[in-house]
Amino acid sequence: MTSPLSSSTGLIESNVASNQFNSMDSIALITKQLVARAKEERAEVAVDFDRGDFIRATQKIERLTRFKEKIANNVATVTKAKGAVTEIKNTLLSAKSKLQTMIGSTSAETRQQISKDYDDLIKKISTVVDGATQNFGFRSVNLVGNFEGGSPENNKLLIPTRETGGGALQFEGMDLGVDFKIIDEGGFTWKLDKIDNKFYQHTVVNDLITKTGLSISADDLNVSSYDPNSGSITLVGSQPLSGTLVRSGLNILTSEYHQNFSDDTLVQRAITDLETAITKLDIDTPPLVTKAKRLETSLEGIDLRIKILEKEKDTIRQEELDASRAVSLAADMKLQLTLNNMNLLTSGNNAIVENMLSLTSGVAKGPGVFGFMGF
């Protein structure tokens, strides 16, 4: 027969088990709701990119960057011209130094070698000038040469120095090349193309030089006579050419127009030409160099402003991240405290249930033979 006490205990245990199941279900539901609320209380975004100061800094950086891109070709042209001026002057000084070592020399071999070295240096100047050309789409600009016969704007630049306007630098080009032309008796102009080594005939119309289609190979042409004072020159070969030689740019000629420096008088004449060219450089180029430095300073100022604005954006990002971490940390702590309290309540409920179960179980049987006897 089943004891009433025993059956009551089973009933309580069954009810408790049922209550524990319901309690755990409720705890799970509450926990889900707490986690959902904690998520709502956390920061929605780590960084608020819609902050007014962040947007303003970004817009300023974009405006400054667009301005730099807008004047990039102009800046490149000026930079090339400034570098060319320095290199041309150094080349002129080297050429002068070479010729000075020739004076007094009686060695034909030495004079020939120095003449070759001198010609190489003069040709280098032409290369430097050519390298200073900057292409603007279909337009080419060179501030140190290569603009004769081209449109006037090809040796002028007006460069803004502020993205908001109100400041600009104007650069006027100058001819620092090593070039010449021969005007024949018929008034036609002959210019030497250094690439294919041919003299091409040109006509001049409204200050623009245009090829006529006639040419003379310079491969077998030699200087028969040249008067530096009048410019009268005669070139002999399979197709002779004569007329008046007009120098341009730095007004320097290679050794063949100085009779290959056959005597010291001719060497000294070439040295005088170099000194005149150096003086021209010292007089004409300082404005270009000074303005180029001002332009560089202006660009450095823009770069500095961009750097400061980027730093401001970094500071804003850090402020946003710190604020976001603080909000999220507070939400996490609130959730953790709530869960801790729930754990305490759950533990307390379990203790109450366990006490009730012990009370309904009666007094425990004694040990040994007394227990066996029912005491």
Side-chain angles (χ1 to χ4, degrees), residues 145-163:
N146 282 355
F147 47 77
E148 185 179 355
S151 53
E153 66 269 17
N154 280 16
N155 66 325
K156 289 183 181 180
L157 282 179
L158 184 64
I159 306 177
T161 55
R162 297 177 187 173
E163 78 282 4

mmCIF file with all atom_site columns, all heavy atoms in Angstrom, residues 145-163:
data_model
loop_
_atom_site.group_PDB
_atom_site.id
_atom_site.type_symbol
_atom_site.label_atom_id
_atom_site.label_alt_id
_atom_site.label_comp_id
_atom_site.label_asym_id
_atom_site.label_entity_id
_atom_site.label_seq_id
_atom_site.pdbx_PDB_ins_code
_atom_site.Cartn_x
_atom_site.Cartn_y
_atom_site.Cartn_z
_atom_site.occupancy
_atom_site.B_iso_or_equiv
_atom_site.pdbx_formal_charge
_atom_site.auth_seq_id
_atom_site.auth_comp_id
_atom_site.auth_asym_id
_atom_site.auth_atom_id
_atom_site.pdbx_PDB_model_num
ATOM 1   N N   . GLY A 1 145 ? 61.628 77.567 -74.243 1.00 0.00 ? 145 GLY A N   1
ATOM 2   C CA  . GLY A 1 145 ? 61.994 77.437 -75.656 1.00 0.00 ? 145 GLY A CA  1
ATOM 3   C C   . GLY A 1 145 ? 60.972 76.646 -76.440 1.00 0.00 ? 145 GLY A C   1
ATOM 4   O O   . GLY A 1 145 ? 59.882 76.329 -75.962 1.00 0.00 ? 145 GLY A O   1
ATOM 5   N N   . ASN A 1 146 ? 61.327 76.340 -77.682 1.00 0.00 ? 146 ASN A N   1
ATOM 6   C CA  . ASN A 1 146 ? 60.487 75.534 -78.577 1.00 0.00 ? 146 ASN A CA  1
ATOM 7   C C   . ASN A 1 146 ? 59.132 76.166 -78.872 1.00 0.00 ? 146 ASN A C   1
ATOM 8   O O   . ASN A 1 146 ? 58.164 75.463 -79.125 1.00 0.00 ? 146 ASN A O   1
ATOM 9   C CB  . ASN A 1 146 ? 60.254 74.137 -77.972 1.00 0.00 ? 146 ASN A CB  1
ATOM 10  C CG  . ASN A 1 146 ? 61.450 73.240 -78.151 1.00 0.00 ? 146 ASN A CG  1
ATOM 11  O OD1 . ASN A 1 146 ? 62.411 73.612 -78.808 1.00 0.00 ? 146 ASN A OD1 1
ATOM 12  N ND2 . ASN A 1 146 ? 61.397 72.068 -77.562 1.00 0.00 ? 146 ASN A ND2 1
ATOM 13  N N   . PHE A 1 147 ? 59.053 77.483 -78.867 1.00 0.00 ? 147 PHE A N   1
ATOM 14  C CA  . PHE A 1 147 ? 57.759 78.095 -79.170 1.00 0.00 ? 147 PHE A CA  1
ATOM 15  C C   . PHE A 1 147 ? 57.805 79.013 -80.380 1.00 0.00 ? 147 PHE A C   1
ATOM 16  O O   . PHE A 1 147 ? 56.808 79.620 -80.729 1.00 0.00 ? 147 PHE A O   1
ATOM 17  C CB  . PHE A 1 147 ? 57.238 78.893 -77.958 1.00 0.00 ? 147 PHE A CB  1
ATOM 18  C CG  . PHE A 1 147 ? 58.243 79.807 -77.327 1.00 0.00 ? 147 PHE A CG  1
ATOM 19  C CD1 . PHE A 1 147 ? 58.569 81.025 -77.902 1.00 0.00 ? 147 PHE A CD1 1
ATOM 20  C CD2 . PHE A 1 147 ? 58.850 79.448 -76.144 1.00 0.00 ? 147 PHE A CD2 1
ATOM 21  C CE1 . PHE A 1 147 ? 59.488 81.864 -77.311 1.00 0.00 ? 147 PHE A CE1 1
ATOM 22  C CE2 . PHE A 1 147 ? 59.776 80.290 -75.537 1.00 0.00 ? 147 PHE A CE2 1
ATOM 23  C CZ  . PHE A 1 147 ? 60.096 81.492 -76.118 1.00 0.00 ? 147 PHE A CZ  1
ATOM 24  N N   . GLU A 1 148 ? 58.941 79.133 -81.017 1.00 0.00 ? 148 GLU A N   1
ATOM 25  C CA  . GLU A 1 148 ? 58.991 79.958 -82.220 1.00 0.00 ? 148 GLU A CA  1
ATOM 26  C C   . GLU A 1 148 ? 58.151 79.319 -83.308 1.00 0.00 ? 148 GLU A C   1
ATOM 27  O O   . GLU A 1 148 ? 58.248 78.130 -83.586 1.00 0.00 ? 148 GLU A O   1
ATOM 28  C CB  . GLU A 1 148 ? 60.433 80.116 -82.712 1.00 0.00 ? 148 GLU A CB  1
ATOM 29  C CG  . GLU A 1 148 ? 60.527 81.067 -83.904 1.00 0.00 ? 148 GLU A CG  1
ATOM 30  C CD  . GLU A 1 148 ? 61.964 81.254 -84.379 1.00 0.00 ? 148 GLU A CD  1
ATOM 31  O OE1 . GLU A 1 148 ? 62.882 80.736 -83.731 1.00 0.00 ? 148 GLU A OE1 1
ATOM 32  O OE2 . GLU A 1 148 ? 62.131 81.908 -85.402 1.00 0.00 ? 148 GLU A OE2 1
ATOM 33  N N   . GLY A 1 149 ? 57.292 80.110 -83.911 1.00 0.00 ? 149 GLY A N   1
ATOM 34  C CA  . GLY A 1 149 ? 56.419 79.587 -84.951 1.00 0.00 ? 149 GLY A CA  1
ATOM 35  C C   . GLY A 1 149 ? 55.122 79.026 -84.416 1.00 0.00 ? 149 GLY A C   1
ATOM 36  O O   . GLY A 1 149 ? 54.214 78.724 -85.165 1.00 0.00 ? 149 GLY A O   1
ATOM 37  N N   . GLY A 1 150 ? 55.025 78.916 -83.076 1.00 0.00 ? 150 GLY A N   1
ATOM 38  C CA  . GLY A 1 150 ? 53.785 78.439 -82.473 1.00 0.00 ? 150 GLY A CA  1
ATOM 39  C C   . GLY A 1 150 ? 52.913 79.612 -82.078 1.00 0.00 ? 150 GLY A C   1
ATOM 40  O O   . GLY A 1 150 ? 53.231 80.770 -82.306 1.00 0.00 ? 150 GLY A O   1
ATOM 41  N N   . SER A 1 151 ? 51.770 79.293 -81.472 1.00 0.00 ? 151 SER A N   1
ATOM 42  C CA  . SER A 1 151 ? 50.863 80.348 -81.041 1.00 0.00 ? 151 SER A CA  1
ATOM 43  C C   . SER A 1 151 ? 51.433 81.047 -79.812 1.00 0.00 ? 151 SER A C   1
ATOM 44  O O   . SER A 1 151 ? 52.119 80.425 -78.999 1.00 0.00 ? 151 SER A O   1
ATOM 45  C CB  . SER A 1 151 ? 49.485 79.771 -80.733 1.00 0.00 ? 151 SER A CB  1
ATOM 46  O OG  . SER A 1 151 ? 49.587 78.695 -79.824 1.00 0.00 ? 151 SER A OG  1
ATOM 47  N N   . PRO A 1 152 ? 51.158 82.348 -79.639 1.00 0.00 ? 152 PRO A N   1
ATOM 48  C CA  . PRO A 1 152 ? 51.745 83.131 -78.547 1.00 0.00 ? 152 PRO A CA  1
ATOM 49  C C   . PRO A 1 152 ? 51.452 82.577 -77.155 1.00 0.00 ? 152 PRO A C   1
ATOM 50  O O   . PRO A 1 152 ? 52.293 82.670 -76.259 1.00 0.00 ? 152 PRO A O   1
ATOM 51  C CB  . PRO A 1 152 ? 51.093 84.509 -78.727 1.00 0.00 ? 152 PRO A CB  1
ATOM 52  C CG  . PRO A 1 152 ? 50.714 84.573 -80.159 1.00 0.00 ? 152 PRO A CG  1
ATOM 53  C CD  . PRO A 1 152 ? 50.337 83.176 -80.526 1.00 0.00 ? 152 PRO A CD  1
ATOM 54  N N   . GLU A 1 153 ? 50.254 81.967 -76.960 1.00 0.00 ? 153 GLU A N   1
ATOM 55  C CA  . GLU A 1 153 ? 49.924 81.494 -75.615 1.00 0.00 ? 153 GLU A CA  1
ATOM 56  C C   . GLU A 1 153 ? 50.768 80.302 -75.187 1.00 0.00 ? 153 GLU A C   1
ATOM 57  O O   . GLU A 1 153 ? 50.758 79.911 -74.022 1.00 0.00 ? 153 GLU A O   1
ATOM 58  C CB  . GLU A 1 153 ? 48.441 81.110 -75.520 1.00 0.00 ? 153 GLU A CB  1
ATOM 59  C CG  . GLU A 1 153 ? 48.018 79.927 -76.358 1.00 0.00 ? 153 GLU A CG  1
ATOM 60  C CD  . GLU A 1 153 ? 47.536 80.325 -77.740 1.00 0.00 ? 153 GLU A CD  1
ATOM 61  O OE1 . GLU A 1 153 ? 47.819 81.461 -78.168 1.00 0.00 ? 153 GLU A OE1 1
ATOM 62  O OE2 . GLU A 1 153 ? 46.887 79.503 -78.400 1.00 0.00 ? 153 GLU A OE2 1
ATOM 63  N N   . ASN A 1 154 ? 51.507 79.712 -76.125 1.00 0.00 ? 154 ASN A N   1
ATOM 64  C CA  . ASN A 1 154 ? 52.327 78.563 -75.789 1.00 0.00 ? 154 ASN A CA  1
ATOM 65  C C   . ASN A 1 154 ? 53.533 78.906 -74.932 1.00 0.00 ? 154 ASN A C   1
ATOM 66  O O   . ASN A 1 154 ? 54.243 78.008 -74.492 1.00 0.00 ? 154 ASN A O   1
ATOM 67  C CB  . ASN A 1 154 ? 52.802 77.852 -77.068 1.00 0.00 ? 154 ASN A CB  1
ATOM 68  C CG  . ASN A 1 154 ? 51.728 76.953 -77.633 1.00 0.00 ? 154 ASN A CG  1
ATOM 69  O OD1 . ASN A 1 154 ? 50.566 77.075 -77.270 1.00 0.00 ? 154 ASN A OD1 1
ATOM 70  N ND2 . ASN A 1 154 ? 52.098 76.053 -78.517 1.00 0.00 ? 154 ASN A ND2 1
ATOM 71  N N   . ASN A 1 155 ? 53.821 80.185 -74.747 1.00 0.00 ? 155 ASN A N   1
ATOM 72  C CA  . ASN A 1 155 ? 54.916 80.541 -73.845 1.00 0.00 ? 155 ASN A CA  1
ATOM 73  C C   . ASN A 1 155 ? 54.427 81.492 -72.757 1.00 0.00 ? 155 ASN A C   1
ATOM 74  O O   . ASN A 1 155 ? 55.184 82.308 -72.249 1.00 0.00 ? 155 ASN A O   1
ATOM 75  C CB  . ASN A 1 155 ? 56.093 81.150 -74.612 1.00 0.00 ? 155 ASN A CB  1
ATOM 76  C CG  . ASN A 1 155 ? 55.749 82.481 -75.245 1.00 0.00 ? 155 ASN A CG  1
ATOM 77  O OD1 . ASN A 1 155 ? 54.628 82.687 -75.680 1.00 0.00 ? 155 ASN A OD1 1
ATOM 78  N ND2 . ASN A 1 155 ? 56.717 83.377 -75.299 1.00 0.00 ? 155 ASN A ND2 1
ATOM 79  N N   . LYS A 1 156 ? 53.139 81.330 -72.387 1.00 0.00 ? 156 LYS A N   1
ATOM 80  C CA  . LYS A 1 156 ? 52.584 82.126 -71.295 1.00 0.00 ? 156 LYS A CA  1
ATOM 81  C C   . LYS A 1 156 ? 51.690 81.245 -70.431 1.00 0.00 ? 156 LYS A C   1
ATOM 82  O O   . LYS A 1 156 ? 51.000 80.359 -70.938 1.00 0.00 ? 156 LYS A O   1
ATOM 83  C CB  . LYS A 1 156 ? 51.740 83.294 -71.825 1.00 0.00 ? 156 LYS A CB  1
ATOM 84  C CG  . LYS A 1 156 ? 52.536 84.406 -72.466 1.00 0.00 ? 156 LYS A CG  1
ATOM 85  C CD  . LYS A 1 156 ? 51.596 85.539 -72.894 1.00 0.00 ? 156 LYS A CD  1
ATOM 86  C CE  . LYS A 1 156 ? 52.370 86.667 -73.572 1.00 0.00 ? 156 LYS A CE  1
ATOM 87  N NZ  . LYS A 1 156 ? 51.443 87.761 -73.984 1.00 0.00 ? 156 LYS A NZ  1
ATOM 88  N N   . LEU A 1 157 ? 51.727 81.508 -69.132 1.00 0.00 ? 157 LEU A N   1
ATOM 89  C CA  . LEU A 1 157 ? 50.854 80.782 -68.216 1.00 0.00 ? 157 LEU A CA  1
ATOM 90  C C   . LEU A 1 157 ? 50.347 81.727 -67.138 1.00 0.00 ? 157 LEU A C   1
ATOM 91  O O   . LEU A 1 157 ? 51.112 82.536 -66.601 1.00 0.00 ? 157 LEU A O   1
ATOM 92  C CB  . LEU A 1 157 ? 51.597 79.627 -67.532 1.00 0.00 ? 157 LEU A CB  1
ATOM 93  C CG  . LEU A 1 157 ? 51.832 78.340 -68.332 1.00 0.00 ? 157 LEU A CG  1
ATOM 94  C CD1 . LEU A 1 157 ? 52.601 77.346 -67.475 1.00 0.00 ? 157 LEU A CD1 1
ATOM 95  C CD2 . LEU A 1 157 ? 50.522 77.741 -68.791 1.00 0.00 ? 157 LEU A CD2 1
ATOM 96  N N   . LEU A 1 158 ? 49.073 81.618 -66.817 1.00 0.00 ? 158 LEU A N   1
ATOM 97  C CA  . LEU A 1 158 ? 48.483 82.353 -65.697 1.00 0.00 ? 158 LEU A CA  1
ATOM 98  C C   . LEU A 1 158 ? 47.943 81.296 -64.737 1.00 0.00 ? 158 LEU A C   1
ATOM 99  O O   . LEU A 1 158 ? 46.971 80.609 -65.035 1.00 0.00 ? 158 LEU A O   1
ATOM 100 C CB  . LEU A 1 158 ? 47.360 83.278 -66.166 1.00 0.00 ? 158 LEU A CB  1
ATOM 101 C CG  . LEU A 1 158 ? 46.734 84.158 -65.074 1.00 0.00 ? 158 LEU A CG  1
ATOM 102 C CD1 . LEU A 1 158 ? 47.764 85.148 -64.519 1.00 0.00 ? 158 LEU A CD1 1
ATOM 103 C CD2 . LEU A 1 158 ? 45.524 84.918 -65.622 1.00 0.00 ? 158 LEU A CD2 1
ATOM 104 N N   . ILE A 1 159 ? 48.598 81.172 -63.584 1.00 0.00 ? 159 ILE A N   1
ATOM 105 C CA  . ILE A 1 159 ? 48.278 80.084 -62.658 1.00 0.00 ? 159 ILE A CA  1
ATOM 106 C C   . ILE A 1 159 ? 47.655 80.638 -61.378 1.00 0.00 ? 159 ILE A C   1
ATOM 107 O O   . ILE A 1 159 ? 48.282 81.425 -60.665 1.00 0.00 ? 159 ILE A O   1
ATOM 108 C CB  . ILE A 1 159 ? 49.551 79.285 -62.302 1.00 0.00 ? 159 ILE A CB  1
ATOM 109 C CG1 . ILE A 1 159 ? 50.258 78.813 -63.575 1.00 0.00 ? 159 ILE A CG1 1
ATOM 110 C CG2 . ILE A 1 159 ? 49.199 78.102 -61.416 1.00 0.00 ? 159 ILE A CG2 1
ATOM 111 C CD1 . ILE A 1 159 ? 51.548 78.082 -63.322 1.00 0.00 ? 159 ILE A CD1 1
ATOM 112 N N   . PRO A 1 160 ? 46.407 80.255 -61.063 1.00 0.00 ? 160 PRO A N   1
ATOM 113 C CA  . PRO A 1 160 ? 45.796 80.675 -59.795 1.00 0.00 ? 160 PRO A CA  1
ATOM 114 C C   . PRO A 1 160 ? 46.520 80.029 -58.618 1.00 0.00 ? 160 PRO A C   1
ATOM 115 O O   . PRO A 1 160 ? 46.991 78.894 -58.713 1.00 0.00 ? 160 PRO A O   1
ATOM 116 C CB  . PRO A 1 160 ? 44.358 80.173 -59.908 1.00 0.00 ? 160 PRO A CB  1
ATOM 117 C CG  . PRO A 1 160 ? 44.413 79.058 -60.898 1.00 0.00 ? 160 PRO A CG  1
ATOM 118 C CD  . PRO A 1 160 ? 45.501 79.407 -61.864 1.00 0.00 ? 160 PRO A CD  1
ATOM 119 N N   . THR A 1 161 ? 46.621 80.744 -57.513 1.00 0.00 ? 161 THR A N   1
ATOM 120 C CA  . THR A 1 161 ? 47.319 80.223 -56.331 1.00 0.00 ? 161 THR A CA  1
ATOM 121 C C   . THR A 1 161 ? 46.370 79.960 -55.168 1.00 0.00 ? 161 THR A C   1
ATOM 122 O O   . THR A 1 161 ? 46.797 79.456 -54.138 1.00 0.00 ? 161 THR A O   1
ATOM 123 C CB  . THR A 1 161 ? 48.405 81.215 -55.878 1.00 0.00 ? 161 THR A CB  1
ATOM 124 O OG1 . THR A 1 161 ? 47.810 82.502 -55.658 1.00 0.00 ? 161 THR A OG1 1
ATOM 125 C CG2 . THR A 1 161 ? 49.498 81.338 -56.939 1.00 0.00 ? 161 THR A CG2 1
ATOM 126 N N   . ARG A 1 162 ? 45.085 80.322 -55.346 1.00 0.00 ? 162 ARG A N   1
ATOM 127 C CA  . ARG A 1 162 ? 44.089 80.080 -54.293 1.00 0.00 ? 162 ARG A CA  1
ATOM 128 C C   . ARG A 1 162 ? 42.874 79.404 -54.909 1.00 0.00 ? 162 ARG A C   1
ATOM 129 O O   . ARG A 1 162 ? 42.429 79.791 -55.994 1.00 0.00 ? 162 ARG A O   1
ATOM 130 C CB  . ARG A 1 162 ? 43.664 81.393 -53.627 1.00 0.00 ? 162 ARG A CB  1
ATOM 131 C CG  . ARG A 1 162 ? 44.798 82.118 -52.909 1.00 0.00 ? 162 ARG A CG  1
ATOM 132 C CD  . ARG A 1 162 ? 44.292 83.436 -52.338 1.00 0.00 ? 162 ARG A CD  1
ATOM 133 N NE  . ARG A 1 162 ? 45.360 84.231 -51.781 1.00 0.00 ? 162 ARG A NE  1
ATOM 134 C CZ  . ARG A 1 162 ? 45.216 85.492 -51.339 1.00 0.00 ? 162 ARG A CZ  1
ATOM 135 N NH1 . ARG A 1 162 ? 44.018 86.066 -51.425 1.00 0.00 ? 162 ARG A NH1 1
ATOM 136 N NH2 . ARG A 1 162 ? 46.236 86.146 -50.841 1.00 0.00 ? 162 ARG A NH2 1
ATOM 137 N N   . GLU A 1 163 ? 42.343 78.441 -54.201 1.00 0.00 ? 163 GLU A N   1
ATOM 138 C CA  . GLU A 1 163 ? 41.180 77.723 -54.722 1.00 0.00 ? 163 GLU A CA  1
ATOM 139 C C   . GLU A 1 163 ? 39.932 78.596 -54.745 1.00 0.00 ? 163 GLU A C   1
ATOM 140 O O   . GLU A 1 163 ? 38.989 78.329 -55.487 1.00 0.00 ? 163 GLU A O   1
ATOM 141 C CB  . GLU A 1 163 ? 40.923 76.461 -53.897 1.00 0.00 ? 163 GLU A CB  1
ATOM 142 C CG  . GLU A 1 163 ? 40.242 76.658 -52.558 1.00 0.00 ? 163 GLU A CG  1
ATOM 143 C CD  . GLU A 1 163 ? 41.182 77.166 -51.479 1.00 0.00 ? 163 GLU A CD  1
ATOM 144 O OE1 . GLU A 1 163 ? 42.359 77.436 -51.778 1.00 0.00 ? 163 GLU A OE1 1
ATOM 145 O OE2 . GLU A 1 163 ? 40.737 77.281 -50.329 1.00 0.00 ? 163 GLU A OE2 1
#
